Amino acid sequence: MRGLFLKLLRRRHLHRDLERELAFHREMAAAQGNPVPLGNPAVIKEQALDLWRFTFLENVWRDLVYGARSLRRSPALVVSTVLSLALGIGVNTTIFSLAVEFLFSEPSVSNSRSIVSVRLGGNSHVKPEVIEFVRQGGVFADVVGEREESFVNWNDGTQTRPIFGMVTTKNFFTALGVPMAYGRGLLPGDPDEVVVLNNHFWRKHFHSDPSIVGRSINLDGKAYTVVGVLPAQHRTLLGFGFAPDVYLPYFIEDTLLAIYARLKPGMSIDKARAGVTLVAKRLDTVLPEPYFKYGTSCEVKPVSGFARIKKQREALALGLFFLMLQIVLGLVLLIACANVASLLLARAASRRQEIAVRLSLGASRRRLVQQLMVESLLLSTVGAGFGLALAHIVATLLTRIRFPLPFPLRLQFSLDWRVATYATCLAIIATVVCGLLPAWQSVRESIASQSKREPKLRLRRALVMAQVATSVIVLVTGSLFLRNLLKANSISPGFDVRHTLRAEAHLPPARYEDQQSKDRYVDQILHELAAVPGIEGVAAARILPFTDQATRGQGLKFPDTGQNVHASFSWNAVTPEYFRAMSIPVLQGRSFLISDDGENNVAIVNQEFVKRYLANQRAVGRVFLWGPDGNTPCQIVGVVGNTKTLTIGEDDRPQLYEPLAQINDDRTRIQFVMKSTLPPVMQLDPVRGVLRRVEPAAGTEVATLFSSIGLAFLPSQVGAALLGSAGVLGLLLATIGLYGVMVYSVERRTREIGLRVAVGAGQRNILRMVLFDSLKITAMGSALGLCVALVATRPLALFLVQGLKPADPLTFGIVAVILGLTGVIAAWGPVRRALAIDPMSALRHE
Amino acid sequence: MAKSSYPTLLQGTLDLLILHVLQRGPMHGYAIAQTIHLLSDEVLKVEEGSLYPALYRLELDGAISASWGVSENNRRAKYYEITERGRKLVSEQQNTWNRLSLAVQRVLAR
């Protein structure tokens, strides 16, 4: 390498040497009366210098200059190729940077590879004492706890609103080594009333004022001292762009926390699991739990990198989705490359003469191919540059989008080395795909040019056919997801979303510690809301569908039949009016009554529950035994319709409702739903007024149910938007390609068409000739594409709603029709051109 | 290629000839070509088109070294000198060549 470098430096010197040496040789030969030796001095020089290897580099440089110069003369070609490649590379890079952010972003901690998440006894969250016990167990270098979803009420001086807080143990910042922008993180010796602000929260509400550190803010009615501000690029351990507003030390009794730990240097995951299992078994004797044992199943999982994706189901599903997207967009890029290749083929055909001259002057074929490849490298590099710029713009726009999610999400894209490498690889692939075929073709044809044959269009036609086939695959995928969206929108969630409002109140925990005070609050709200004109049916619920979900697995014993089932169901606790407020039909039995207050345990189940666990037999009136001791009787008093719980596409799940008054609610977050005879938007202010009047210190949120169930439609919407646009983009590129070939074909056949007209062909014949030509290419390409798509789209079933199969005949039919139209549209311009050919001037053509 | 009345050199033999000639002492390119021409009784003619690439190749190989000097007619010329490695190479190649030419002669003699 060093040698090559030195040679490069000495290049000029060597060049001069060789020239002098050759001159000397000739002089000597002339002086001695020898004939001047045969041989081309330029070739000799080139051959001799070839040995010094830098000819290759010199040639590349010369080709670059030459290529840039010749491309400058055809701006139309440059604009269309660069645009195609920029679009193709741009969308690919955008999705890639999204995937990197979602799947491979590292949490903002020191040495993230050594951080693991720990589960004891299958519990995601445990009591703070348990965390302290594990920490003292000494298996890990350090152990911390965090509670991701906690709300605190922030009073900014004029109003109180709930903000998203992350509750952590006080050693969280020190043990993980979280970098800070201003101030410091929480310290183990801190009092309880300290808070760390997230960067976006600080920017938005404190106008990026660093002097906030040391001042105090009002949270849940108490003054909290701001000790620090996180940097803008802070990423949480949870990942996926999750970004809470503030970080607080845990303070509420019975808050459960997720465990994270730092492995000791050199410790393997398996060893850590074995170690923590021993600690958990000791825990079972020291702090025994009635319902489960800590020591039964202990998990230790990495929080970053590939290891996380393998272990986490959500990450794996997301990874698969991105993989599919990347494949589809890769196909779009291929279509774009085919366009560029097609244009370069046309250009090569017009440069036949230039290439033939160079070949006959002694240029080697390799050398010519190299020169043509350098040209396409130039094009794809510029294309990739624009593509990266495009990706940056799109990514910046994406970070501004507020996703309709019930938790704060802030994506941070950075065009880091991974994205840059990816774009570079794409550019190289594009160079080869775009350039190799035209270069090879042009060199080959120029050799055969003595025969004066017209270059065949076959290659370009084949290219366009492949393009059409590829765009069929992309289009099928896109329209499958569009159909998926339509289907998802038409699925009824099982309750009324258009006439319903939801409200949420976060009570200050200090003043609502006991159950009675909470019950009193709920009763008063229900009473006052019912009095609002236009409101019919108000209820409180522990969980609202599509915002949250609780699954319970429990043994149910039916004493009447002696049957013992292990049931897994979505659980909820609601007040009597819930089913009326949500318009969920009560099919058998009755709804809850005020009198169902825990004296006699009752439950309502849904149809799916009856089908799965009661064999579709009579349900109302039956009693089962459950509870912590497995012996508490509970009577089923009603059966209601099925409702969706988290996503619209999911299968129906068994559901079980209990009266809210029957359970012990440990949360201070209370949700209400109400049905309105007026448009729900008009009721927002009256409802807000009621909530404020009853408890001014509570943080409240009021919205229409329609606006807050966005989460349920998000997967199908995102899928449809992304793949639908990919399909449209692919089709557009293929249409341009087809158009280009048709124009070129008509131009080449000008004489022939003129002759045909001269001997009496009518307009109709000409029209048919050109149109059929275009349709033939489209039809063959589509047939090929549809066959491939039939097989290739099979794995997509994973992402589609129930009842929609990848081999959906309607989708395939629509795609076929679209392509037929494309063939006609692409042929339209060329047909008009062909019809306008004047036979007399056409015969004089060339 | 233009037809020439001189027999063309077999591939690879030029290197051997150059090295052999250089065993007599340092020489510039033209002198090497002339020496080969004369020693072969004016049968072999080395064209500059093949001579200089061969010299450059040998120099890169380390079989010969080059330095600028003054020629017999007082001009600056590049002189080539055989190295230790070159001497070893020449004896090896000579053996190979001897065996090859002997074998060819045997075949042609029958």
Side-chain angles (χ1 to χ4, degrees), chain A residues 223-523:
Chain A
Y224 277 70
T225 309
V226 177
V227 294
V229 179
L230 287 165
Q233 62 275 16
H234 177 78
R235 288 189 172 96
T236 50
L237 286 173
L238 200 63
F240 301 119
F242 174 68
D245 298 314
V246 294
Y247 287 70
L248 315 152
Y250 74 92
F251 55 94
I252 308 166
E253 287 288 307
D254 295 334
T255 298
L256 301 181
L257 304 155
I259 319 172
Y260 289 96
R262 187 186 288 284
L263 295 173
K264 284 183 178 165
M267 182 181 247
S268 73
I269 297 269
D270 288 323
K271 240 168 108 189
R273 190 190 303 115
V276 82
T277 306
L278 283 179
V279 174
K281 287 205 168 123
R282 253 189 294 145
L283 192 61
D284 282 324
T285 58
V286 183
L287 292 164
E289 284 286 334
Y291 307 136
F292 63 88
K293 287 210 178 314
Y294 287 112
T296 46
S297 76
C298 296
E299 292 172 46
V300 176
K301 290 176 182 173
V303 297
S304 64
F306 256 120
R308 179 182 77 137
I309 296 172
K310 271 194 287 184
K311 290 280 161 76
Q312 266 188 16
R313 231 172 28 149
E314 310 86 27
L316 189 66
L318 203 61
L320 283 176
F321 182 73
F322 273 121
L323 186 68
M324 179 205 60
L325 253 181
Q326 213 76 77
I327 291 172
V328 169
L329 291 175
L331 290 178
V332 171
L333 179 61
L334 273 187
I335 298 173
C337 283
N339 262 358
V340 175
S342 191
L343 284 169
L344 289 180
L345 270 177
R347 180 177 154 83
S350 65
R351 280 169 80 179
R352 260 186 325 145
Q353 233 166 358
E354 175 199 335
I355 288 164
V357 168
R358 293 201 49 186
L359 273 174
S360 57
L361 278 179
S364 75
R365 269 200 246 177
R366 235 190 68 196
R367 184 74 191 71
L368 278 179
V369 169
Q370 182 193 322
Q371 186 212 318
L372 293 170
M373 289 302 285
V374 165
E375 266 186 40
S376 48
L377 177 71
L378 210 59
L379 286 173
S380 60
T381 308
V382 177
F386 278 103
L388 266 177
L390 183 78
H392 184 69
I393 294 167
V394 174
T396 318
L397 289 178
L398 273 178
T399 48
R400 301 243 175 94
I401 294 179
R402 285 276 291 130
F403 290 99
L405 296 171
F407 49 85
L409 191 74
R410 245 153 261 272
L411 297 174
Q412 307 165 15
F413 298 103
S414 45
L415 294 179
D416 61 358
W417 61 270
R418 289 174 291 201
V419 178
T421 312
Y422 184 72
T424 312
C425 287
L426 286 184
I428 291 168
I429 293 169
T431 308
V432 175
V433 174
C434 300
L436 205 53
L437 196 63
W440 175 73
Q441 168 88 349
S442 61
V443 170
R444 205 184 58 146
E445 280 195 341
S446 298
I447 290 162
S449 70
Q450 280 93 336
S451 59
K452 287 268 173 204
R453 251 186 338 156
E454 277 281 311
K456 282 215 172 134
L457 248 186
R458 222 174 37 208
L459 202 61
R460 281 188 76 189
R461 292 172 78 101
L463 212 56
V464 171
M465 222 177 311
Q467 224 178 352
V468 171
T470 316
S471 65
V472 165
I473 300 168
V474 176
L475 211 54
V476 164
T477 318
S479 38
L480 266 178
F481 274 81
L482 285 175
R483 285 257 298 143
N484 187 48
L485 178 65
L486 291 180
K487 193 131 187 173
N489 281 344
S490 68
I491 292 174
S492 163
F495 52 84
D496 189 354
V497 285
R498 298 190 182 269
H499 303 99
T500 319
L501 285 102
R502 64 171 271 259
E504 201 178 309
H506 301 269
L507 300 172
R511 285 177 40 203
Y512 287 87
E513 270 178 351
D514 57 323
Q515 191 63 37
Q516 283 82 1
S517 58
K518 271 188 270 185
D519 289 346
R520 264 201 310 279
Y521 173 79
V522 171
D523 283 346

Side-chain angles (χ1 to χ4, degrees), chain A residues 628-764:
Chain A
D629 51 356
N631 247 335
T632 311
C634 182
Q635 189 178 34
I636 299 173
V637 295
V639 176
V640 293
N642 298 330
T643 58
K644 304 286 178 194
T645 54
L646 262 193
T647 62
I648 199 79
E650 70 189 18
D651 294 337
D652 285 330
R653 297 188 197 182
Q655 288 166 303
L656 186 142
Y657 301 87
E658 281 187 85
L660 195 61
Q662 185 173 298
I663 64 152
N664 211 356
D665 198 346
D666 54 345
R667 286 200 206 173
T668 49
R669 172 189 181 199
I670 296 167
Q671 310 206 70
F672 301 96
V673 279
M674 60 223 85
K675 187 176 187 166
S676 167
T677 47
L678 301 170
V681 193
M682 291 173 61
Q683 299 283 19
L684 293 176
D685 278 331
V687 171
R688 224 171 259 147
V690 168
L691 291 176
R692 270 209 199 122
R693 202 169 57 240
V694 174
E695 176 53 87
T700 58
E701 216 183 293
V702 181
T704 63
L705 197 56
F706 189 71
S707 72
S708 54
I709 66 168
L711 177 64
F713 293 98
L714 199 65
S716 52
Q717 275 171 343
V718 168
L722 289 176
L723 289 151
S725 358
V728 169
L729 190 61
L731 185 67
L732 199 70
L733 289 170
T735 312
I736 294 170
L738 188 59
Y739 172 82
V741 164
M742 291 318 294
V743 165
Y744 187 66
S745 137
V746 165
E747 202 170 280
R748 238 172 35 103
R749 290 167 75 182
T750 304
R751 252 170 86 91
E752 181 203 330
I753 292 170
L755 201 63
R756 279 171 191 264
V757 174
V759 298
Q763 294 223 324
R764 189 177 289 258

